[in-house]
Amino acid sequence: QVQLVESGGGLAQAGGSLRLSCAASGRTFSDYAMGWFRQAPGKEREFVAAISRSGDRTTYADSVKGRFTISRDNAKNTVYLQMNSLNVEDTAVYYCAARFRVMVGDGRAVGSWGQGTQITVSS
């Protein structure tokens, strides 16, 4: 599988922006579809966004559609999550995920996980 390390987490005010990065190593990055998930205290881990191996297809949870953008740079072995118009409800631990060849749909299909990075949005 592939090793994943997230960065860019931290504190933001409501209405603000943050960009998360996920650096991959250990395997050929372009062989993996990528995604982002999040888990808030007391809640199950939920799907946020996904991107195909080439970056030509993306999907988003309804809760973040129009505010978050997932992208990837295969030359840098990195996937990004640009988060705009942040809400307090976006507060969670965010996890990068990888799946060999096939588009990420939900957590059951994920092969590799990052360690997670905390996003806290204050009002």
Side-chain angles (χ1 to χ4, degrees):
Q1 292 296 318
V2 61
Q3 290 74 52
L4 306 172
V5 179
E6 301 98 334
S7 62
L11 181 66
Q13 290 188 316
S17 299
L18 288 171
R19 189 174 79 157
L20 302 181
S21 298
C22 175
S25 62
R27 297 292 187 272
T28 302
F29 183 62
S30 60
D31 286 344
Y32 291 84
M34 302 295 296
W36 290 94
F37 293 74
R38 67 186 183 186
Q39 187 168 25
K43 299 184 68 177
E44 295 183 350
R45 189 172 299 186
E46 65 176 352
F47 170 79
V48 175
I51 189 166
S52 62
R53 290 180 291 165
S54 67
D56 63 340
R57 298 188 304 279
T58 58
T59 58
Y60 298 92
D62 288 342
S63 59
V64 307
K65 194 172 299 181
R67 300 188 298 120
F68 290 10
T69 302
I70 188 171
S71 62
R72 67 190 295 161
D73 187 339
N74 287 350
K76 297 181 179 179
N77 289 359
T78 302
V79 64
Y80 305 95
L81 185 68
Q82 179 67 46
M83 303 183 292
N84 298 327
S85 301
L86 285 164
N87 303 319
V88 172
E89 291 76 22
D90 295 318
T91 295
V93 176
Y94 283 70
Y95 297 90
C96 181
R99 185 183 184 188
F100 185 59
R101 295 186 295 176
V102 181
M103 192 77 168
V104 173
D106 58 40
R108 294 171 293 179
V110 170
S112 300
W113 294 95
Q115 80 286 354
T117 186
Q118 177 71 49
I119 302 297
T120 301
V121 182
S122 61
S123 61

